[in-house]
Amino acid sequence: MYGGGYIFDEPDRRQAAEENDHDQPARLGEFEAKIAAGEKIEPGDWMPSEYRRQLIRLIEQHAHSEVVGALPEGTWITRAPGFRRKMALIAKVQDEIGHGQLLYHAAETLGKTRQEMTADLLSGKSKYSNVFNYPAETWADVTVIGFLIDAAAIVNQLANSKGSYGPYCRALERICYEESFHLKQGQDAFVELASGTPMQRGMLQDALNRWWPPIMQFFGPPDKISAHSARLMQWKVKMASNDEMRNQFLDTYVPKVFELGMTLPDPLLAKDPVTGRWKYTEPDWNLFFRVIGGDGPCNRERIAVRSWAEEHGAWVRKALKVTSGMPSLPIA
Ligand code: COA
């Protein structure tokens, strides 16, 4: 379905009327009461401008992550070992681009156009997930992405799907179904390498060692320095804090890695039996901020590929726009 503003629609600019939230305490009260009662906020509803701004930031970043995230895996379609793995990877990459499309549409309902989002990605103004700024050097890297990064994404998305903004939650419900398939294929490839030859296990261990720090950073900085968590949790955009999601991920997936005889490169990693919380070495958060700020190993390459695609796809968008303005042909 072509529902988005990218090709056909004019941007929705309804936010202009609500910029002065402070002048509207009654509406703010109603809005917060609705959220507290577990009701969804829909695009036509009044919302504080900060809620709108935060949602656009978060959903847009999520959409960019889906599309940019397909790039490192996409380069492995021709090299995936065997027909079955190639088929699964093609389907996964296609799904990820579809997730981007769903999320861009959800962000468009808040008034930012697809063109604006694309321009902000290409200029470096909008972020995307830190993990997609690292290279997928071997098949084991793709395997670790397919298992552990998809697992991390599910933990995050399942939490966010219970949130307050209707279009984002509905998009996430569908995305989570597809991500569970991705996770299964990632886990299957992971188990295959982990139970393979010493060379396959060595390759997998090497990938795990390289990917572990960025995976630990995937859920965002620790709660005590997270800039947006408090406000986003108050408005039920985020349903769990960064540290809570990280802990949930460790709880479910570290045992699955260990039971295959693989290790993780953190001597402190262990569950505290009293608190039930995982202890770990804090990843290098200065490095994280540098990477998401544009200075990671692959940032320039990722943006260059998106830029190329944008430029070379311009004629398709133009053609679709022209075609959509034509009268439809009579049937028969
Ligand atoms: N990758 C890139 N940037 C990240 C990040 C990550 N893994 N985690 C946090 N950040 C950025 C935030 O965008 C923010 O930067 P900004 O103020 O310039 O926008 C900054 O780090 C501070 O982090 P925090 O206040 O904790 O951000 P947050 O409340 O938005 O929480 C997420 C971070 C990832 C948990 C949240 O954005 C989220 O749930 N996003 C939707 C899911 C998603 O994008 N998944 C990615 C791929 S599947």
Side-chain angles (χ1 to χ4, degrees), residues 12 14-21 24 27-28 31-32 34-35 41-56 109-111 164-167 235:
D12 176 350
R14 68 171 70 86
Q15 78 265 36
E18 71 198 26
E19 289 306 331
N20 295 317
D21 306 332
Q24 312 210 38
R27 296 191 102 169
L28 187 59
F31 167 84
E32 290 189 334
K34 233 172 136 174
I35 290 184
I41 305 298
E42 296 298 338
D45 295 346
W46 184 89
M47 60 185 82
S49 54
E50 180 60 9
Y51 177 83
R52 186 186 292 279
R53 192 184 70 78
Q54 284 283 358
L55 271 172
I56 292 175
T109 64
L110 292 152
S164 60
Y165 188 57
W235 279 337

Side-chain angles (χ1 to χ4, degrees), residues 40 157 161 168-178:
K40 297 281 183 226
Q157 288 163 178
S161 73
Y168 185 43
C169 297
R170 289 189 286 274
L172 286 180
E173 275 173 24
R174 163 146 179 205
I175 290 171
C176 284
Y177 283 123
E178 293 182 354

Side-chain angles (χ1 to χ4, degrees), residues 17 21 31 108 117 175 181 191 294:
D21 306 332
F31 167 84
E108 280 170 330
M117 288 187 261
I175 290 171
F181 160 77
V191 171

Side-chain angles (χ1 to χ4, degrees), residues 53-54 57-66 69 96 99 103 125-133 149-150 152-154 156-157 159-160 168 172 175 179 214-223 225-233 237-242 245-246 285 288-289 291-293:
R53 192 184 70 78
Q54 284 283 358
R57 178 189 69 80
L58 187 139
I59 303 173
E60 176 184 352
Q61 174 173 318
H62 194 165
H64 294 325
S65 303
E66 297 284 348
E96 305 294 7
H99 297 171
L103 291 165
K125 189 172 167 203
S126 293
K127 296 190 167 68
Y128 56 88
S129 185
N130 68 306
V131 285
F132 301 126
N133 288 308
I149 294 185
D150 279 80
I154 290 178
N156 168 285
Q157 288 163 178
N160 286 1
Y168 185 43
L172 286 180
I175 290 171
E179 295 287 7
I215 290 174
M216 285 294 286
Q217 293 168 331
F218 177 89
F219 298 98
D223 291 352
I225 61 163
S226 162
H228 307 294
S229 284
R231 176 50 81 76
L232 292 181
M233 288 181 73
V237 173
K238 278 170 85 165
M239 299 299 281
S241 76
N242 299 358
M245 290 187 285
R246 200 167 5 251
W285 291 106
F288 167 82
F289 284 112
V291 169
I292 65 173

